[in-house]
Amino acid sequence: MDWKLEGSAQKTDSHVLQEQEVILEDTGEDSISESFRLLQIDVECEHREGEMLPTGGTVWCSNVQRKQRHWEKIVAAKKSKRKQEKERRKANRVENSGICPQHSKRFLRSLTKERLLEAKHSGPRLCIDLSMTHHMSKKELSRLAGQIRRLYGSNKKASRPFWIYLTGFTTDSPLYEECLRMNDGFSSYLLDITEEDCFSLFPLDTLVYLTPDSEHALEDIDLNKVYILGGLVDESIQKKVTFQKAREHSVRTARLPIQEYMVRHQNGKNYHSEILAINQVFDILSTYFETQNWPEALKKGVSSRKGYVLQNSMDDGQPEKLPEAKLLEVS
């Protein structure tokens, strides 16, 4: 009985195997390849599930990355909050004071650089003649270096700046070393430095040498001219040094119209002088170029210690309206 059942089971299994072989033969190669494709998909799914559920060191890396992303979100939120707060304070300042919002330092530096470079191509030109510094003492060189620094600072602030040339200026000179020592960022000043003399750098008919010893007062600032200031600090006050140098090269000279718009003022030392530092002369030229008003320009550049005051500028201690500039002949 048991033998019969066992034989019957074997026949049944053999019959099932034969049916499966028949099915495989009927389906052909296409069904076999499809089965392998399904098996490959299952393997890929298992691999992705393994990535989604990491273990060991992979779990630690995932936690670090999650914390890092969380920290980045916090930092970004703080930056956004600070920016909003900064804009809110700026809006409050504008609303309360009625003034325009202030620009950043980077923007102002960019704007200054743009104005200076524009002046190089279309602005008035000013040349500082530094060919007379070899006889100057160290103290005088230091004073001249300070004047150059103040002149450049004023030019940077001007709404209509000049383009500056430092001529007769060698990089191995004591003055150059003094400028580097005293003036931060001197090597990056936006101006031209050349060893060439101003009389050979420009056509002579375009030059106007500004000297207090000239007989002719400066009338106006001509964009086609190059104005020269003598870079000279001389405590012994040698007279007509720059005037004689201009005459040697047959160059036109002019002086500031101090005598035309100012009068001598009584002081305890009875001291009166039209000799100004180069930065003071530049302040006068720059102010006049912006305002086209000589009295206003002279008031800014000529100190009362020079013994001069504007005509009709004071009446019982009250300032009066400044007179309009008049035309003065320049030869």
Side-chain angles (χ1 to χ4, degrees), residues 261-262 287 291-300 309-314 318-325:
Y261 292 99
M262 308 187 81
T287 303
T291 64
Q292 297 294 302
N293 189 303
W294 278 118
E296 183 176 343
L298 292 169
K299 182 179 180 181
K300 182 174 182 179
V309 294
L310 288 171
Q311 298 176 3
N312 302 323
S313 63
M314 299 292 290
Q318 297 297 325
E320 293 184 351
K321 182 179 179 180
L322 297 174
E324 296 295 331

Side-chain angles (χ1 to χ4, degrees), residues 14-26:
S14 175
H15 181 70
V16 171
L17 290 172
Q18 290 178 356
E19 289 180 353
Q20 289 178 350
E21 289 177 357
V22 171
I23 292 173
L24 289 174
E25 290 177 356
D26 293 339

Side-chain angles (χ1 to χ4, degrees), residues 116 126-128 144-158 162-166 189 191 229 277-283 285-286:
L116 290 173
L126 182 70
C127 174
I128 311 299
L144 180 57
Q147 293 176 17
I148 293 173
R149 180 186 68 246
R150 289 189 286 272
L151 185 153
Y152 182 75
S154 296
N155 195 43
K156 285 174 58 179
K157 297 176 182 178
F162 284 61
W163 184 251
I164 308 297
Y165 298 86
L166 303 181
Y189 277 9
L191 44 75
L229 296 180
I278 60 172
N279 59 293
Q280 294 172 330
V281 177
F282 175 78
D283 288 341
L285 296 176
S286 178

Side-chain angles (χ1 to χ4, degrees), residues 45 47-54:
C45 292
H47 179 68
R48 290 177 182 174
E49 290 175 358
E51 290 181 350
M52 296 173 61
L53 298 173

